[in-house]
Amino acid sequence: MSTTYPIVLVHGLSGFDDIVGYPYFYGIADALEKDGHKVFTASLSAFNSNEVRGEQLWEFVQKVLKETKAKKVNLIGHSQGPLACRYVAAKHAKSIASVTSVNGVNHGSEIADLVRRIMRKDSVPEYIADAVMKAIGTIISTFSGNRGNPQDAVAALEALTTENVTEFNKKYPQGLPAVRGGEGKEIVNGVHYYSFGSYIQGLIAGEKGNLLDPTHAAMRILSAFFSERENDGLVGRTSMRLGKLIKDDYAEDHLDMVNQVAGLVGRGEDIIAIYTNHANFLASKKL
C-alpha cells in the first residue's frame, strides 16, 4: 500500500540529493519507489540558515505538488533537514501531511556550540572556515546539478547552535515536546509529526559491521565531546525528539541513519527498512 501523498526526502548540513548518481539517502528512495511510493529528494543549500533552506524546500514542495497534482506531501528530513521541514509545515500546514525527523537537530547540537565557542565571530579563522566551506558547498551543489544554491557556512553553523535553535523553536514550536526528551503532539494544525533517533553505543554493540566505514571513527571521537552521553556523534539523543517518537535507540551514528557510507552501518542494521516501514505506517494513517 502506497502513501496517499508523495514523500519528499530532505538532506541535512553539507548534504545533496545525489552527486553524479550517488544519493545522500543511500538506497532509500529506490526501495521506497519499489514499494510503490512516489518519492522525491530535495536539494537545498549545503550550508545555509534554516530559514533560507526552508524557503528552498517550500519552492521544491510546490514543484512536487504541481507535478503530481497532490494536495500535500510527507516530509522526511535528516539532521538539519527536519528544521527546514518544520519551517515549511509551520508556514504552509495545508500542504504538508506529515513531518518525520531522523536524528534531527531539534534542540541544537553541542558540537555546533563547541565550534562556535572556538571560532569567534568576525575572526580570521571564521573568515577562512567560511570561505572553505562555501567552496565545498558550491562544489557539492554543482555536482548535484544545483549550482545556483547560495552557500553561507557561518549561517549554517549558527543555525545549529543551541541558542539559535531555541530562538527558531519559539517561532516554530509545532510538534516539539513540552520538556526536552519527552514527546510532542502527534498532530498539530493537521500535520502529523514523528521522530527517529540513534546513539553510538558500546564497541561490541555498536561497531560490528562498521569497521570499513571511514566516518564512524570521526563520529565516535566527536561523541566524546558531548555532555549528553547518548549521542550520535553530532546530535544528542534528547535533541532528536519531535512529535510522536517511533524509535530512538538504534545503535548507529549520525550518518548511518541515512545508510552512509554505502550501507556500511553499525551492527548490520537494516536502515532502509526503517524508511520503508515508516512509509507503510504513513500509508496506514492515509497520509
PDB file of all heavy atoms in Angstrom, residues 257-273:
ATOM      1  N   MET A 257      22.300   6.702   9.818  1.00  0.00           N
ATOM      2  CA  MET A 257      20.844   6.771   9.736  1.00  0.00           C
ATOM      3  C   MET A 257      20.322   7.217   8.365  1.00  0.00           C
ATOM      4  O   MET A 257      19.113   7.245   8.144  1.00  0.00           O
ATOM      5  CB  MET A 257      20.296   7.670  10.845  1.00  0.00           C
ATOM      6  CG  MET A 257      20.453   7.060  12.237  1.00  0.00           C
ATOM      7  SD  MET A 257      19.577   5.479  12.468  1.00  0.00           S
ATOM      8  CE  MET A 257      17.888   6.062  12.637  1.00  0.00           C
ATOM      9  N   VAL A 258      21.224   7.552   7.454  1.00  0.00           N
ATOM     10  CA  VAL A 258      20.829   7.729   6.051  1.00  0.00           C
ATOM     11  C   VAL A 258      21.555   6.691   5.192  1.00  0.00           C
ATOM     12  O   VAL A 258      21.758   6.865   4.004  1.00  0.00           O
ATOM     13  CB  VAL A 258      21.081   9.163   5.533  1.00  0.00           C
ATOM     14  CG1 VAL A 258      20.022  10.107   6.068  1.00  0.00           C
ATOM     15  CG2 VAL A 258      22.479   9.657   5.865  1.00  0.00           C
ATOM     16  N   ASN A 259      22.008   5.622   5.868  1.00  0.00           N
ATOM     17  CA  ASN A 259      22.629   4.470   5.203  1.00  0.00           C
ATOM     18  C   ASN A 259      23.977   4.796   4.575  1.00  0.00           C
ATOM     19  O   ASN A 259      24.392   4.168   3.601  1.00  0.00           O
ATOM     20  CB  ASN A 259      21.686   3.883   4.136  1.00  0.00           C
ATOM     21  CG  ASN A 259      21.854   2.386   3.977  1.00  0.00           C
ATOM     22  OD1 ASN A 259      22.150   1.686   4.940  1.00  0.00           O
ATOM     23  ND2 ASN A 259      21.635   1.880   2.777  1.00  0.00           N
ATOM     24  N   GLN A 260      24.677   5.774   5.140  1.00  0.00           N
ATOM     25  CA  GLN A 260      26.011   6.121   4.665  1.00  0.00           C
ATOM     26  C   GLN A 260      27.057   5.483   5.578  1.00  0.00           C
ATOM     27  O   GLN A 260      26.807   5.316   6.774  1.00  0.00           O
ATOM     28  CB  GLN A 260      26.203   7.649   4.662  1.00  0.00           C
ATOM     29  CG  GLN A 260      25.316   8.393   3.694  1.00  0.00           C
ATOM     30  CD  GLN A 260      25.705   8.148   2.247  1.00  0.00           C
ATOM     31  OE1 GLN A 260      26.764   7.582   1.954  1.00  0.00           O
ATOM     32  NE2 GLN A 260      24.835   8.557   1.333  1.00  0.00           N
ATOM     33  N   VAL A 261      28.230   5.137   5.119  1.00  0.00           N
ATOM     34  CA  VAL A 261      28.702   5.292   3.751  1.00  0.00           C
ATOM     35  C   VAL A 261      28.423   3.995   2.986  1.00  0.00           C
ATOM     36  O   VAL A 261      28.869   2.930   3.407  1.00  0.00           O
ATOM     37  CB  VAL A 261      30.210   5.596   3.753  1.00  0.00           C
ATOM     38  CG1 VAL A 261      30.758   5.662   2.333  1.00  0.00           C
ATOM     39  CG2 VAL A 261      30.513   6.866   4.514  1.00  0.00           C
ATOM     40  N   ALA A 262      27.688   4.088   1.871  1.00  0.00           N
ATOM     41  CA  ALA A 262      27.383   2.952   1.004  1.00  0.00           C
ATOM     42  C   ALA A 262      26.814   1.756   1.756  1.00  0.00           C
ATOM     43  O   ALA A 262      27.109   0.602   1.451  1.00  0.00           O
ATOM     44  CB  ALA A 262      28.625   2.549   0.208  1.00  0.00           C
ATOM     45  N   GLY A 263      26.032   2.027   2.793  1.00  0.00           N
ATOM     46  CA  GLY A 263      25.379   0.950   3.531  1.00  0.00           C
ATOM     47  C   GLY A 263      26.231   0.271   4.574  1.00  0.00           C
ATOM     48  O   GLY A 263      25.793  -0.715   5.193  1.00  0.00           O
ATOM     49  N   LEU A 264      27.434   0.794   4.843  1.00  0.00           N
ATOM     50  CA  LEU A 264      28.311   0.187   5.852  1.00  0.00           C
ATOM     51  C   LEU A 264      27.949   0.741   7.228  1.00  0.00           C
ATOM     52  O   LEU A 264      28.614   1.628   7.759  1.00  0.00           O
ATOM     53  CB  LEU A 264      29.773   0.487   5.534  1.00  0.00           C
ATOM     54  CG  LEU A 264      30.302  -0.092   4.214  1.00  0.00           C
ATOM     55  CD1 LEU A 264      31.696   0.445   3.914  1.00  0.00           C
ATOM     56  CD2 LEU A 264      30.338  -1.618   4.307  1.00  0.00           C
ATOM     57  N   VAL A 265      26.893   0.227   7.808  1.00  0.00           N
ATOM     58  CA  VAL A 265      26.397   0.772   9.069  1.00  0.00           C
ATOM     59  C   VAL A 265      26.656  -0.182  10.227  1.00  0.00           C
ATOM     60  O   VAL A 265      26.929  -1.361  10.035  1.00  0.00           O
ATOM     61  CB  VAL A 265      24.884   1.069   8.965  1.00  0.00           C
ATOM     62  CG1 VAL A 265      24.609   2.043   7.842  1.00  0.00           C
ATOM     63  CG2 VAL A 265      24.085  -0.212   8.752  1.00  0.00           C
ATOM     64  N   GLY A 266      26.559   0.358  11.456  1.00  0.00           N
ATOM     65  CA  GLY A 266      26.833  -0.431  12.642  1.00  0.00           C
ATOM     66  C   GLY A 266      25.853  -1.567  12.849  1.00  0.00           C
ATOM     67  O   GLY A 266      24.681  -1.460  12.533  1.00  0.00           O
ATOM     68  N   ARG A 267      26.334  -2.675  13.390  1.00  0.00           N
ATOM     69  CA  ARG A 267      25.530  -3.841  13.767  1.00  0.00           C
ATOM     70  C   ARG A 267      24.765  -4.457  12.591  1.00  0.00           C
ATOM     71  O   ARG A 267      23.918  -5.311  12.795  1.00  0.00           O
ATOM     72  CB  ARG A 267      24.539  -3.488  14.876  1.00  0.00           C
ATOM     73  CG  ARG A 267      25.210  -3.236  16.208  1.00  0.00           C
ATOM     74  CD  ARG A 267      24.310  -3.600  17.369  1.00  0.00           C
ATOM     75  NE  ARG A 267      23.052  -2.863  17.360  1.00  0.00           N
ATOM     76  CZ  ARG A 267      22.157  -2.924  18.344  1.00  0.00           C
ATOM     77  NH1 ARG A 267      22.370  -3.687  19.388  1.00  0.00           N
ATOM     78  NH2 ARG A 267      21.044  -2.238  18.287  1.00  0.00           N
ATOM     79  N   GLY A 268      25.028  -3.985  11.381  1.00  0.00           N
ATOM     80  CA  GLY A 268      24.326  -4.542  10.242  1.00  0.00           C
ATOM     81  C   GLY A 268      22.845  -4.207  10.241  1.00  0.00           C
ATOM     82  O   GLY A 268      22.030  -4.907   9.636  1.00  0.00           O
ATOM     83  N   GLU A 269      22.470  -3.120  10.919  1.00  0.00           N
ATOM     84  CA  GLU A 269      21.071  -2.695  10.976  1.00  0.00           C
ATOM     85  C   GLU A 269      20.534  -2.433   9.576  1.00  0.00           C
ATOM     86  O   GLU A 269      21.231  -1.868   8.726  1.00  0.00           O
ATOM     87  CB  GLU A 269      20.959  -1.409  11.804  1.00  0.00           C
ATOM     88  CG  GLU A 269      19.544  -0.940  12.051  1.00  0.00           C
ATOM     89  CD  GLU A 269      18.855  -1.738  13.128  1.00  0.00           C
ATOM     90  OE1 GLU A 269      19.407  -1.833  14.238  1.00  0.00           O
ATOM     91  OE2 GLU A 269      17.762  -2.263  12.839  1.00  0.00           O
ATOM     92  N   ASP A 270      19.312  -2.841   9.311  1.00  0.00           N
ATOM     93  CA  ASP A 270      18.685  -2.590   8.014  1.00  0.00           C
ATOM     94  C   ASP A 270      18.087  -1.188   8.033  1.00  0.00           C
ATOM     95  O   ASP A 270      16.928  -0.990   8.376  1.00  0.00           O
ATOM     96  CB  ASP A 270      17.605  -3.639   7.736  1.00  0.00           C
ATOM     97  CG  ASP A 270      17.043  -3.548   6.331  1.00  0.00           C
ATOM     98  OD1 ASP A 270      17.369  -2.573   5.618  1.00  0.00           O
ATOM     99  OD2 ASP A 270      16.283  -4.450   5.932  1.00  0.00           O
ATOM    100  N   ILE A 271      18.915  -0.208   7.674  1.00  0.00           N
ATOM    101  CA  ILE A 271      18.483   1.182   7.705  1.00  0.00           C
ATOM    102  C   ILE A 271      17.353   1.421   6.711  1.00  0.00           C
ATOM    103  O   ILE A 271      16.395   2.153   7.003  1.00  0.00           O
ATOM    104  CB  ILE A 271      19.659   2.127   7.398  1.00  0.00           C
ATOM    105  CG1 ILE A 271      20.776   1.950   8.444  1.00  0.00           C
ATOM    106  CG2 ILE A 271      19.188   3.578   7.361  1.00  0.00           C
ATOM    107  CD1 ILE A 271      20.379   2.255   9.858  1.00  0.00           C
ATOM    108  N   ILE A 272      17.454   0.822   5.548  1.00  0.00           N
ATOM    109  CA  ILE A 272      16.419   1.019   4.532  1.00  0.00           C
ATOM    110  C   ILE A 272      15.052   0.608   5.064  1.00  0.00           C
ATOM    111  O   ILE A 272      14.039   1.266   4.794  1.00  0.00           O
ATOM    112  CB  ILE A 272      16.775   0.243   3.251  1.00  0.00           C
ATOM    113  CG1 ILE A 272      17.985   0.902   2.570  1.00  0.00           C
ATOM    114  CG2 ILE A 272      15.591   0.192   2.295  1.00  0.00           C
ATOM    115  CD1 ILE A 272      18.482   0.167   1.349  1.00  0.00           C
ATOM    116  N   ALA A 273      15.018  -0.451   5.866  1.00  0.00           N
ATOM    117  CA  ALA A 273      13.749  -0.927   6.425  1.00  0.00           C
ATOM    118  C   ALA A 273      13.114   0.105   7.353  1.00  0.00           C
ATOM    119  O   ALA A 273      11.881   0.144   7.491  1.00  0.00           O
ATOM    120  CB  ALA A 273      13.967  -2.236   7.170  1.00  0.00           C
TER     121      ALA A 273
END
